[in-house]
Amino acid sequence: MLREVKRELHTDRLLLRAPQPGDGKQVNKAIQSSIHELSQWLPFAYQNPSAEDTEINTRKAAAQFLSRENLRYLMFSKKNGEFIGSTGFHNIDWDIPKLEIGYWIDTRYSGKGYMLEAVEALTDYALTDLEMARVEIQCDRDNSRSRAIPEKLEYRLEGTIVNDDRSVDGGMLTDTCVYARINPGLEPGVEKEIMENEEINQHILKEFFNNNWGSPQMVLSSGSFQCDRLPGYTIVLDGSILGCVTFVADEQFEIISLNSVKEGAGIGTELMDQAESYARSLGYKEVKLTTTNDNLKAVRFYQNRGFRVTDIRKDAVIEARKRKPGIPEYNDRGIPIQDEWILVKEL
């Protein structure tokens, strides 16, 4: 059976969706506006395709998406609906499983972080939902802009293959840089285990929260909690804690904390699955959680899991800071941390 694959992915600013008939015209328009830059690296642009050529290619991509041979995603701005670029999963081996991410962008939109945003979302999706053991990005050694994407997303440069290809005009040999992200939960020889928090030594849990988040104390508008003393689940990988979820099962089933030290490895997804399964077993009809206004990545993660924002508690973090002065006033992007966002998922 073919794997279930999302036809649409969402980021803060972008809609990524599978190609469909009729997309060729706007894709070709982007190619033509960027032909000088794209033709240096991509054979299809060097050949300067017509609108009809691009439409044929786009329809082939739509068919390949259905057969799961290749999974191309077209990038559109959520703000104005404009086509921005193309990315997706290529050279897929479902048996390993592994794949490669490729991408190009309309030059008019380059330098705004759109491609970084898209590839980050694809990487997370590949390693978590699709459970890929390996995600790879290959770039020409001299294509510094393309190489900047995997480097910023903490891909590891595994090596440079010398004389691996020819330039698009066939005039010279080129070298290929191979970057990869490995799913740590699927590395050979490593044992991963989900344990109930009560099975973990409390001192070890407390040290985990201290080392990674400064303190086990969580101050919310719903109360103050010591996360190292709450029920929940912990993922242990080769003797080390990779993530922990804690919750309170009272009048409501409320997630208090969700922490992972390895982003994009499926740790948060696995912990949430376990917590939601436990909530169902207790007869709860919904799960509630709280995050802060600046944590848009977390909001995206929860919304992709079916959570909806049901309330915004203005200045709640400002009040919490009076009880826990260590709560920062700004995040690492300079956004003021002020409000709580309440999210709820029906089970």
Side-chain angles (χ1 to χ4, degrees), residues 49-223:
S50 66
E52 183 179 4
D53 293 332
T54 305
E55 176 64 21
I56 291 171
N57 179 270
T58 301
R59 292 189 180 213
K60 287 181 179 178
Q64 289 176 332
F65 197 103
L66 292 174
S67 64
R68 306 298 188 255
E69 295 174 66
N70 284 290
L71 302 172
R72 185 184 301 179
Y73 287 93
L74 303 183
M75 302 162 50
F76 297 90
S77 167
K78 285 184 175 179
K79 184 176 181 180
N80 57 24
E82 291 289 323
F83 174 76
I84 287 178
S86 178
T87 183
F89 301 137
H90 314 296
N91 298 324
I92 304 171
D93 187 330
W94 294 104
D95 292 328
I96 298 297
K98 65 178 182 178
L99 53 77
E100 180 183 338
I101 296 179
Y103 43 85
W104 64 267
I105 193 167
D106 185 328
T107 305
R108 294 172 295 180
Y109 295 97
S110 64
K112 299 180 180 355
Y114 287 122
M115 192 55 72
L116 186 70
E117 189 173 317
V119 175
E120 181 179 25
L122 286 180
T123 302
D124 290 346
Y125 181 56
L127 291 173
T128 55
D129 293 52
L130 297 183
E131 298 180 317
M132 289 289 146
R134 174 184 177 84
V135 177
E136 191 173 290
I137 294 177
Q138 295 191 13
C139 309
D140 188 295
R141 186 189 63 180
D142 296 328
N143 193 344
S144 58
R145 287 191 174 184
S146 182
R147 292 182 60 181
I149 300 296
E151 289 170 357
K152 288 178 180 179
L153 295 177
E154 299 183 350
Y155 277 69
R156 182 173 67 244
L157 176 60
E158 295 187 330
T160 301
I161 307 173
V162 179
N163 293 344
D164 178 55
D165 205 348
R166 282 195 173 273
S167 56
V168 292
D169 62 3
M172 56 186 242
L173 292 169
T174 60
D175 304 335
T176 302
C177 293
V178 179
Y179 294 88
R181 283 273 295 270
I182 307 301
N183 191 330
L186 299 175
E187 288 185 271
V190 179
E191 295 184 4
K192 183 174 69 172
E193 184 179 6
I194 295 185
M195 304 176 65
E196 295 184 16
N197 286 357
E198 62 183 22
E199 300 177 83
I200 307 291
N201 183 289
Q202 187 181 341
H203 173 74
I204 295 175
L205 267 182
K206 185 175 183 179
E207 186 178 18
F208 168 76
F209 284 108
N210 282 333
N211 290 341
N212 293 284
W213 287 274
S215 167
Q217 184 186 25
M218 177 69 72
V219 178
L220 304 172
S221 56
S222 57

Side-chain angles (χ1 to χ4, degrees), residues 2 15 25 28 47 56 58 63 69 78 119 122 148 157 170 209 238 266 284 297 307 310-311 345:
L2 297 177
L15 163 66
K25 183 177 180 180
N28 186 264
Q47 296 166 5
I56 291 171
T58 301
E69 295 174 66
K78 285 184 175 179
V119 175
L122 286 180
L157 176 60
F209 284 108
D238 201 25
Y284 288 95
K297 190 170 184 178
F307 282 82
T310 60
D311 192 16
K345 177 180 179 177

Side-chain angles (χ1 to χ4, degrees), residues 265-321:
I267 303 300
T269 295
E270 197 163 352
L271 288 169
M272 287 297 293
D273 285 344
Q274 195 74 23
E276 290 172 18
S277 177
Y278 181 63
R280 289 189 191 93
S281 73
L282 295 179
Y284 288 95
K285 302 301 182 183
E286 63 181 26
V287 173
K288 169 190 170 185
L289 60 86
T290 302
T291 189
T292 52
N293 65 280
D294 68 299
N295 201 352
L296 300 181
K297 190 170 184 178
V299 172
R300 183 171 68 242
F301 169 80
Y302 293 127
Q303 287 183 325
N304 283 336
R305 294 191 55 83
F307 282 82
R308 298 182 64 183
V309 178
T310 60
D311 192 16
I312 295 177
R313 294 175 181 168
K314 186 177 179 181
D315 295 334
V317 183
I318 296 175
E319 292 300 314
R321 196 174 287 117

Side-chain angles (χ1 to χ4, degrees), residues 242-258:
L242 286 190
C244 179
V245 62
T246 65
F247 48 75
V248 171
D250 201 347
E251 293 182 4
Q252 292 179 302
F253 191 95
E254 182 176 4
I255 302 292
I256 302 301
S257 68
L258 175 65

